[in-house]
Amino acid sequence: MRAVRTAWWWTGSLMGDHDYSRYVEHLRRNHPDAEVPTEREYWKARYADADANPGARCC
């Protein structure tokens, strides 16, 4: 059962399931004054920015 959970977590990581939570942690740690976007806003901005400028990243 532990192996199944690990595989499920690993697959989710590859698919980007944990990206929003990591982004929120990053904002709170490195940009405490920044407004935290909703998860929907995060994904919308991520795909819009990736299409416009694939090399753009925060920090």
Side-chain angles (χ1 to χ4, degrees):
M1 190 65 175
R2 184 176 179 185
V4 171
R5 281 190 216 135
T6 300
W8 187 259
W9 179 89
W10 185 77
T11 303
S13 292
L14 286 177
M15 300 303 289
D17 292 352
H18 309 291
D19 290 354
Y20 176 71
S21 60
R22 282 195 306 245
Y23 179 70
V24 170
E25 289 175 21
H26 165 81
L27 278 180
R28 290 186 176 149
R29 186 175 42 246
N30 297 307
H31 309 283
D33 298 333
E35 184 177 330
V36 177
T38 65
E39 190 168 359
R40 183 182 192 127
E41 292 169 338
Y42 167 78
W43 287 108
K44 184 176 179 181
R46 180 176 173 164
Y47 285 112
D49 290 344
D51 292 341
N53 185 3
R57 289 197 168 242
C58 172
C59 304

